Amino acid sequence: MAKIILTGDRPTGRLHVGHYVGSLKRRVELQNSGEFDEIYIMIADAQALTDNMDNPEKVRQNIIEVALDYLACGLDPEKSVLFIQSQIPQLCEMTFYYMDLVTVSRLQRNPTVKSEIQMRNFEASIPVGFFTYPISQAADITAFKATTVPVGEDQAPMIEQTREIVHKFNSIYGETLVTPDILLPDNKACLRLPGIDGKAKMSKSLGNCIYLSDSEEEIKKKIMSMFTDPNHLRVEDPGNVEGNPVFIYLDAFCRDEHFEKYLPDYKNLDELKAHYTRGGLGDVKVKRFLNNVLQDELRPIRERRQEFAKDIPAVYKILEEGSRKAEAKAAQTLAEMKRAMKINYFEDRELIEEQAKRFGGES
Ligand code: TRP
């Protein structure tokens, strides 16, 4: 069976280092591994509209920001199909049929939807489109027959719900759709990178993100202002590395080579952590090291982004061509679905003959 990747992001802001370690970096590695037959990367504008219906301009502006972030990270339109969700009408059609296979109570139990409803104060009046977006996400995944969905941990309930829809569809209408597997980051620190303020999640609305497009100075300023262990007041005090965002970022980003280059007194992160825990290591020194590590990682990304930004029409062209390819694939899957669901009347000669006989006429 073909190995196919589908994943994507909502265009509600520029992408940040949480997106990067949580999924983007992995996507590029998977793309370059040559192990996959097809790769689809989607800018989920229709999903973004489910909770930004009154702000279409925001979604429109951020399409190009996300596309630039993708290209800057190394997603290559020669190897991956980059496309825009709203340009694939088949996804709506699939969603409509999947709605028959999902109950309201099952949607209400989806933990991601539950917490998002709370976050957005939607309790009293949930837009139907928002409430049902897990079903539309199942269409996104199954339209491309994706076997592998590389995403952050928060998306696990969506993949689970997709798998249920696939099983239900296949058991009623016959084997048609492919069951996808989630692919989570294997580095635990990358599952959910905290914000620079120590809050559990990096999020634009909390203003605690380091963006892939931030300048060198912005990155430095953010790192030097980062939350650390609040009880580590003086250099000599013993410090705590658990739950300390500076060390979580180091877990996510630093490699032994970085010590050789920037902090040769230590061999690796374990040694640095041990010193911090023991006491005698100041936050500023650790933050400076983190700054060097992160600057090394983000500099090439920022520079590539600036290169791609010089020719914005070409970026739209990439998205347009990707959307055309994606639509062709989705149309193929939808045709198979409609055949399985017996709603392919006009291509079904047998049906027409059968009905003609039943009515005693000629075919
Ligand atoms: N829900 C994802 C997010 O918020 C975006 C998304 C939409 C997606 N459809 C998808 C991710 C399909 C993976 C697969 O970032």
Side-chain angles (χ1 to χ4, degrees):
M1 194 174 61
K3 290 178 77 180
I4 299 175
I5 288 178
L6 176 291
T7 186
D9 302 273
R10 296 182 194 183
T12 52
R14 291 176 290 151
L15 301 181
H16 51 63
V17 294
H19 294 114
Y20 180 68
V21 294
S23 166
L24 266 173
K25 192 176 176 179
R26 186 71 170 283
R27 288 180 206 172
V28 176
E29 286 163 10
L30 294 171
Q31 169 195 273
N32 296 336
S33 75
E35 275 179 36
F36 288 84
D37 301 292
E38 294 163 45
I39 302 173
Y40 298 92
I41 310 288
M42 179 181 75
I43 302 183
D45 61 336
Q47 189 176 104
L49 284 168
T50 64
D51 65 334
N52 289 282
M53 65 299 274
D54 49 358
N55 205 349
E57 196 53 36
K58 169 168 138 189
V59 173
R60 181 184 168 90
Q61 294 297 332
N62 281 304
I63 297 253
I64 194 75
E65 298 280 359
V66 171
L68 284 171
D69 285 329
Y70 283 171
L71 295 166
C73 286
L75 288 174
D76 174 358
E78 298 284 316
K79 298 177 184 160
S80 298
V81 178
L82 308 180
F83 72 99
I84 306 180
Q85 186 185 28
S86 63
Q87 304 306 299
I88 319 299
Q90 290 80 4
L91 299 177
C92 299
E93 225 176 308
M94 291 180 185
T95 303
F96 190 69
Y97 297 122
Y98 292 164
M99 283 184 172
D100 298 336
L101 309 177
V102 181
T103 64
V104 171
S105 66
R106 175 62 183 87
L107 279 172
Q108 278 165 337
R109 278 198 317 265
N110 184 309
T112 304
V113 175
K114 243 189 193 166
S115 74
E116 285 178 333
I117 286 173
Q118 267 174 9
M119 249 164 58
R120 289 167 179 68
N121 294 319
F122 272 163
E123 283 102 333
S125 53
I126 311 166
V128 173
F130 183 81
F131 182 60
T132 55
Y133 92 73
I135 305 178
S136 123
Q137 191 156 338
D140 301 337
I141 295 168
T142 53
F144 302 93
K145 302 221 162 133
T147 49
T148 310
V149 186
V151 278
E153 196 183 24
D154 61 319
Q155 295 296 306
M158 303 298 160
I159 315 306
E160 192 47 46
Q161 191 143 21
T162 302
R163 292 167 63 94
E164 285 173 33
I165 291 171
V166 168
H167 292 148
K168 191 122 194 213
F169 188 101
N170 286 349
S171 71
I172 298 173
Y173 304 118
E175 226 25 66
T176 313
L177 302 175
V178 174
T179 309
D181 285 308
I182 190 170
L183 187 63
L184 292 169
D186 34 36
N187 177 342
K188 245 186 125 227
C190 298
L191 279 178
R192 181 166 298 200
L193 207 66
I196 55 171
D197 56 357
K199 294 231 171 68
K201 202 178 165 177
M202 211 174 254
S203 121
K204 199 177 81 151
S205 50
L206 297 172
N208 60 2
C209 308
I210 297 175
Y211 293 100
L212 295 174
S213 45
D214 276 346
S215 68
E216 186 170 345
E217 298 71 42
E218 284 168 318
I219 296 168
K220 181 160 188 204
K221 215 170 109 199
K222 288 177 181 179
I223 290 177
M224 297 318 283
S225 76
M226 251 171 104
F227 182 89
T228 64
D229 171 7
N231 298 317
H232 185 243
L233 296 174
R234 283 160 307 178
V235 173
E236 354 25 299
D237 291 340
N240 196 353
V241 298
E242 293 303 318
N244 181 333
V246 175
F247 281 94
I248 299 176
Y249 281 36
L250 284 174
D251 275 325
F253 284 100
C254 93
R255 296 182 298 273
D256 294 354
E257 305 93 83
H258 290 125
F259 283 93
E260 218 176 301
K261 190 165 166 196
Y262 294 116
L263 215 52
D265 291 348
Y266 306 86
K267 258 214 286 306
N268 53 38
L269 189 53
D270 287 338
E271 285 189 15
L272 189 74
K273 283 182 178 175
H275 192 182
Y276 192 82
T277 309
R278 212 163 53 234
L281 176 58
D283 282 330
V284 171
K285 186 165 174 183
V286 186
K287 285 179 174 175
R288 284 216 182 101
F289 176 58
L290 173 62
N291 180 54
N292 284 325
V293 170
L294 218 50
Q295 297 288 0
D296 273 5
E297 186 90 15
L298 297 182
R299 189 176 309 109
I301 296 177
R302 184 175 53 243
E303 287 172 359
R304 268 198 305 270
R305 199 180 197 275
Q306 285 160 353
E307 277 310 301
F308 282 109
K310 287 183 186 157
D311 193 355
I312 292 296
V315 178
Y316 278 107
K317 202 84 209 150
I318 289 170
L319 296 175
E320 188 180 351
E321 276 167 21
S323 299
R324 236 192 31 242
K325 283 187 206 156
E327 182 176 0
K329 173 82 179 196
Q332 212 177 8
T333 307
L334 179 62
E336 289 168 31
M337 280 173 61
K338 289 173 99 167
R339 215 168 294 141
M341 293 174 73
K342 299 188 178 293
I343 52 174
N344 61 330
Y345 313 108
F346 308 130
E347 64 168 34
D348 191 350
R349 289 228 58 85
E350 231 173 78
L351 167 79
I352 297 171
E353 278 163 29
E354 204 178 278
Q355 295 297 337
K357 255 189 228 128
R358 191 159 78 85
F359 286 91
E362 312 236 320
S363 66

